[in-house]
Amino acid sequence: MSNAGFYIFGLIAIIIAVMVMKHVVTCLMRSLVIIVLLAVLAVAYYLFIGQYDTVTNQMVNSMIEDYKASS
């Protein structure tokens, strides 16, 4: 294969890599945004509703104590 062939192959490989990365990064960003939103909703639930629910409050406090004890 001549130098021109390697150049063309390199350009095609770069274009395909950019297209694949675009789709992968888009999917990862969506997943990251969804995870952040779920975490925010969980915190909001605990702060506004969970503190009045004694079962949820005890469960979260015991999880926090277990975490502190293990670290």
Side-chain angles (χ1 to χ4, degrees):
M1 192 183 280
S2 67
N3 288 339
F6 284 120
Y7 181 72
I8 292 171
F9 176 75
L11 286 177
I12 292 172
I14 289 172
I15 290 170
I16 291 173
V18 168
M19 291 173 60
V20 168
M21 287 300 294
K22 179 182 172 188
H23 291 290
V24 170
V25 169
T26 301
C27 183
L28 288 174
M29 289 303 291
R30 278 189 212 142
S31 299
L32 182 66
V33 167
I34 289 172
I35 290 170
V36 168
L37 286 176
L38 288 175
V40 168
L41 287 174
V43 168
Y45 172 79
Y46 178 70
L47 290 177
F48 295 112
I49 296 171
Q51 63 185 352
Y52 302 112
D53 183 12
T54 56
V55 174
T56 305
N57 196 2
Q58 289 173 353
M59 182 180 68
V60 170
N61 286 334
S62 68
M63 289 171 61
I64 291 172
E65 290 173 9
D66 291 343
Y67 177 75
K68 287 180 181 178
S70 68
S71 56

